Amino acid sequence: MISKFQKELQTLVNDKIITQDIAEHIDKYYASKEDNKSGRLFTIFGVLGSLLIGMGIILIVAHNWDHFSRSIKTLFAFLPLLIGQSLVGYSVFKAKGKTWREASGTFLFFAVGACIALISQIYNIPGDLSSYLLTWTLLCIPIIYLLRSQAVAILCLVFATYYACNCGYAFTTRGQTPWYYLLLFVLVLPHYIQLLKSKPQSNITSVFNWLFPLSLIIVLGAFTDRYGDLGYLMYILLFGLFYNIGKLPFFDSQLLRKNGYVIFGSLGTVFLLLITSFKWIWRELFVMQIGFATQEMYIASILFLLAFSLLLYSYSRKWVRQFNLYRFVFIIFTLYYIIGFKNATIPTVLVNVLILALGIMAIKIGADKMHFGTLNYGLLIVAVLITCRFFDTNMSFVLRGSLFVTVGAGFFIANYLMFQKQKKKT
Amino acid sequence: MKKKHILIMFCVVALIQLFVPAQMIYNQEKVLNDGKAYKFKTRPIDPNDPFRGKYITLRYEINSFKTRDTTWRRGDAVYVYLKDSLGYAQIDTISKYKLNLKTDYVVAKATHFRSFKNYSNKSARIHFDLPFNRFYMEEYKAKPAEDAIRVRRNDTDLKDVYSLVYVKDGEAVLENVFINDVPIIDYIKEKDNQ
């Protein structure tokens, strides 16, 4: 069947725009691209199929088949595992393509989980969900490297995060710090680094550019022990680190949607600053007695050192071309935090000033780069800041109303001016 | 990576993946075969695990012990030394560390510490969870098992509910749960037939 595209090519040949030879080359080029696309689709469906079958096996196992004897249940526990291992072995030794590797790896991942689950049931092995998740993930991490499998890497990262949440965020009792998460994270990290080196621009790498910071953001709170209020500082430092990572030339040169670090870093920083712009947060901190030799302090210090070294390194390599306040928020906030132990009013005021400055900074960057998204992001920061101040200040209604009208008008004027400027340029 | 290295790596990974569950089985079988059996009086309740299915949580009658030590913290390991009293397990003593005793012990986890400063006649108590508090059941049987006990808790017919636990060198394996000396699964079946 001749496609519309091929018809167009024929028309171009007939009209003597291109030669028959070139038309054939173009046709072949796009045909090979199509092949690639269908291969990718096949991989995705292969992984989805394995994922569903694997999860199905886990659910069937979870039924707990009482009327089977212990030995039959044990046999069933090992059966999916052996099948999974055979499939993985076949993919490795026959040097099968991506689809085989991804699908068999995903199946083996769930087969390992099903096997341990069934053994736990048969022998009523105690141990909570987190220890089960930890064993499962640890047993599956080598598959990532054996198969160079992206799907298994994603699964391991997701399950490591699940483990940390289950272990650290306990709802009824006090959680334990999920230290083993760090081990799991470090074990998956080389795969990510390898991907950054070999396929920096590919879509799968950008998926990891989002997943890695997201996992750390979800998990960091589980590392607080007794002084949860220090979490604000820990998170600001983490977001500062992310922002500075995202601004490294390697990530900064990529499309914004592929740069999870800079987006999480910026949004997270602004969000946390907005929370800490309320006075009651600082009042709580003011009364809190924090020992310096605490787990939270150690983690905060490590994060600070990492972010600060990265900033210094960026300057030393002359990667920072112009001043960007967002890069320094973590240092400024740490200073505010130290003041916060002595006084609650000063940091509250200073945080408000900082947010305002960040808003203006974003507006300026947006205007300079002619980027509507950044410009409106800045305006939004200012608008949300004013909304927040509605709740805890005794401003008159007239003044509050006027402020809103001003910001609203600002939205129109700024966008209109930029639109005009862009028009002139084009 | 060379093919030979991949082969070695694959074999190692596959063996570890087989070894870990096999080791789990071996440990449990060893305790079941060589360990001493104890009966622990209990009450079941019915929760859920997303991967391992329905189980009944067992709340044991022995779940606390008097102590003068005020340094206990939640999450501490509690070495519970056992003795047999009228056919049921009782606590001989507890300790924060392993003691040089010949009696069987299990390692529990401290849940909370309650001191009675205002009552001079009572000393403080450390409460703990025994490690064998999960009994996996078929998904449609866990809830009836709990109900069987909850509904009839004042029933004179329901004299003793206990779990049979094998203990060896601090390891414990829960073999079964019994209601009036009938395995809980058979007990539910009997009640269903009635």
Side-chain angles (χ1 to χ4, degrees):
Chain A
M1 208 178 83
I2 298 171
S3 70
K4 197 180 168 191
F5 176 67
Q6 281 163 328
K7 267 186 199 165
E8 286 296 321
L9 278 180
Q10 202 52 52
T11 318
L12 288 173
V13 174
N14 293 342
D15 293 348
K16 293 189 175 146
I17 307 289
I18 53 172
T19 63
Q20 183 67 35
D21 209 28
I22 293 174
E24 274 169 22
H25 272 104
I26 294 174
D27 193 27
K28 267 185 197 162
Y29 173 73
Y30 281 102
S32 72
K33 273 210 154 179
E34 274 303 308
D35 268 3
N36 211 349
K37 218 185 246 175
S38 66
R40 204 184 304 159
L41 209 63
F42 196 54
T43 308
I44 291 171
F45 284 125
V47 170
L48 275 179
S50 298
L51 200 79
L52 290 172
I53 293 172
M55 293 207 289
I57 289 175
I58 295 224
L59 285 177
I60 294 167
V61 161
H63 172 77
N64 296 347
W65 302 84
D66 270 348
H67 45 274
F68 287 136
S69 71
R70 199 182 284 165
S71 46
I72 292 198
K73 279 207 248 179
T74 312
L75 187 76
F76 276 119
F78 282 97
L79 198 64
L81 181 60
L82 288 169
I83 294 173
Q85 287 184 339
S86 316
L87 290 173
V88 167
Y90 182 72
S91 314
V92 171
F93 298 117
K94 292 281 172 185
K96 287 297 209 180
K98 210 174 175 185
T99 311
W100 258 92
R101 284 189 279 122
E102 296 289 349
S104 61
T106 307
F107 181 79
L108 181 57
F109 182 88
F110 285 101
V112 170
C115 180
I116 325 171
L118 200 50
I119 304 289
S120 304
Q121 279 171 23
I122 299 168
Y123 291 97
N124 297 302
I125 296 176
D128 41 17
L129 185 62
S130 52
S131 60
Y132 164 71
L133 292 170
L134 177 66
T135 318
W136 180 2
T137 316
L138 264 177
L139 283 175
C140 290
I141 284 177
I143 308 173
I144 304 173
Y145 299 98
L146 202 60
L147 293 170
R148 282 170 285 123
S149 164
Q150 318 301 345
V152 179
I154 292 173
L155 283 170
C156 285
L157 192 61
V158 169
F159 274 73
T161 313
Y162 187 7
Y163 151 75
C165 292
N166 195 274
C167 183
Y169 299 116
F171 297 106
T172 46
T173 53
R174 217 178 72 202
Q176 290 169 318
T177 310
W179 292 113
Y180 283 111
Y181 169 81
L182 297 178
L183 173 71
L184 298 174
F185 188 85
V186 167
L187 288 174
V188 182
L189 201 59
H191 176 78
Y192 177 44
I193 294 170
Q194 182 62 34
L195 260 185
L196 288 176
K197 278 183 188 163
S198 59
K199 298 174 186 167
Q201 303 289 341
S202 87
N203 282 333
I204 190 69
T205 315
S206 60
V207 168
F208 282 101
N209 287 347
W210 283 91
L211 279 184
F212 264 83
L214 182 65
S215 171
L216 284 171
I217 291 169
I218 294 171
V219 165
L220 185 69
F223 283 84
T224 54
D225 185 24
R226 262 182 283 177
Y227 303 103
D229 282 339
L230 268 170
Y232 295 117
L233 179 64
M234 286 160 66
Y235 268 104
I236 284 272
L237 292 169
L238 183 73
F239 290 132
L241 178 65
F242 283 165
Y243 192 83
N244 281 300
I245 292 175
K247 280 290 165 186
L248 291 174
F250 179 84
F251 290 108
D252 205 26
S253 60
Q254 297 195 15
L255 289 171
L256 191 62
R257 68 178 164 82
K258 289 187 173 185
N259 192 349
Y261 292 101
V262 99
I263 292 179
F264 278 133
S266 174
L267 284 178
T269 304
V270 170
F271 179 72
L272 267 182
L273 284 178
L274 284 167
I275 291 177
T276 50
S277 69
F278 289 92
K279 199 175 179 181
W280 61 268
I281 300 269
W282 296 97
R283 277 207 201 112
E284 240 175 53
L285 182 74
F286 189 48
V287 286
M288 197 171 65
Q289 297 292 319
I290 293 179
F292 281 89
T294 58
Q295 183 176 312
E296 291 85 353
M297 275 291 181
Y298 291 134
I299 294 169
S301 312
I302 292 167
L303 286 171
F304 184 86
L305 280 177
L306 283 173
F308 193 69
S309 329
L310 191 65
L311 188 62
L312 282 184
Y313 186 68
S314 299
Y315 267 100
S316 72
R317 296 296 300 263
K318 297 200 169 51
W319 285 336
V320 187
R321 275 182 232 113
Q322 64 187 103
F323 176 75
N324 181 349
L325 187 60
Y326 284 83
R327 282 178 179 270
F328 299 92
V329 173
F330 76 95
I331 302 174
I332 301 168
F333 190 84
T334 310
L335 292 174
Y336 291 178
Y337 216 79
I338 295 166
I339 301 169
F341 286 115
K342 298 276 170 216
N343 188 307
T345 316
I346 299 171
T348 316
V349 175
L350 289 176
V351 165
N352 279 279
V353 175
L354 182 62
I355 300 171
L356 192 66
L358 287 173
I360 294 168
M361 185 93 199
I363 297 170
K364 190 182 170 299
I365 295 171
D368 288 349
K369 289 188 178 171
M370 301 281 275
H371 193 283
F372 278 95
T374 318
L375 176 89
N376 286 307
Y377 176 51
L379 284 164
L380 198 68
I381 293 173
V382 178
V384 176
L385 178 67
I386 294 171
T387 315
C388 286
R389 293 293 68 77
F390 261 46
F391 297 110
D392 64 351
T393 47
N394 293 322
M395 272 189 274
S396 80
F397 283 102
V398 178
L399 189 63
R400 290 184 204 184
S402 315
L403 271 172
F404 260 70
V405 171
T406 315
V407 176
F411 264 99
F412 280 118
I413 296 165
N415 280 292
Y416 178 73
L417 286 178
M418 199 146 97
F419 188 64
Q420 290 296 328
K421 209 169 145 188
Q422 208 175 34
K423 239 180 165 180
K424 256 187 207 168
K425 259 196 169 177
T426 50
Chain B
M1 238 187 314
K2 277 184 190 165
K3 201 152 188 175
K4 193 177 146 197
H5 293 150
I6 296 177
L7 174 75
I8 296 168
M9 191 174 153
F10 171 72
C11 292
V12 171
V13 171
L15 282 176
I16 294 172
Q17 284 177 349
L18 289 168
F19 175 78
V20 171
Q23 173 77 13
M24 285 161 81
I25 296 174
Y26 174 75
N27 287 343
Q28 307 294 310
E29 283 290 345
K30 199 172 72 180
V31 178
L32 282 176
N33 289 329
D34 308 340
K36 185 178 172 188
Y38 286 91
K39 291 177 183 174
F40 286 78
K41 284 204 169 183
T42 185
R43 280 282 180 270
I45 45 171
D46 150 58
N48 208 343
D49 181 300
F51 299 101
R52 290 171 291 186
K54 288 265 181 192
Y55 59 90
I56 50 174
T57 294
L58 301 164
R59 195 166 289 162
Y60 290 102
E61 278 187 18
I62 48 171
N63 62 359
S64 67
F65 199 68
K66 272 187 183 180
T67 177
R68 293 195 182 281
D69 185 352
T70 54
T71 59
W72 284 101
R73 276 191 64 182
R74 191 208 305 245
D76 280 351
V78 187
Y79 286 80
V80 182
Y81 284 84
L82 302 168
K83 63 183 177 189
D84 206 316
S85 164
L86 302 170
Y88 292 100
Q90 289 295 327
I91 303 174
D92 190 10
T93 183
I94 63 159
S95 162
K96 268 189 178 176
Y97 311 100
K98 200 177 159 186
L99 301 173
N100 200 11
L101 293 175
K102 282 194 174 160
T103 39
D104 282 320
Y105 69 95
V106 290
V107 187
K109 198 173 182 183
T111 51
H112 60 277
F113 177 73
R114 192 165 287 169
S115 61
F116 297 91
K117 281 179 190 160
N118 302 331
Y119 304 97
S120 53
N121 56 338
K122 287 180 184 172
S123 66
R125 286 192 91 83
I126 176 73
H127 290 252
F128 50 80
D129 273 340
L130 288 169
F132 36 84
N133 55 359
R134 276 184 178 206
F135 185 68
Y136 288 96
M137 296 191 78
E138 213 168 276
E139 63 179 319
Y140 304 116
K141 289 181 188 160
K143 186 75 182 143
E146 184 210 344
D147 292 344
I149 290 151
R150 192 165 41 82
V151 175
R152 300 184 185 83
R153 65 175 179 274
N154 299 323
D155 209 333
T156 45
D157 181 43
L158 202 75
K159 267 178 279 179
D160 54 6
V161 183
Y162 63 88
S163 49
L164 187 67
V165 180
Y166 287 79
V167 179
K168 186 178 187 274
D169 302 332
E171 293 290 327
V173 178
L174 169 59
E175 208 263 336
N176 212 337
V177 176
F178 292 85
I179 300 177
N180 298 343
D181 291 331
V182 180
I184 191 162
I185 294 163
D186 298 337
Y187 182 85
I188 295 161
K189 268 187 209 157
E190 263 176 39
K191 290 287 162 193
D192 279 351
N193 293 338
Q194 282 170 19

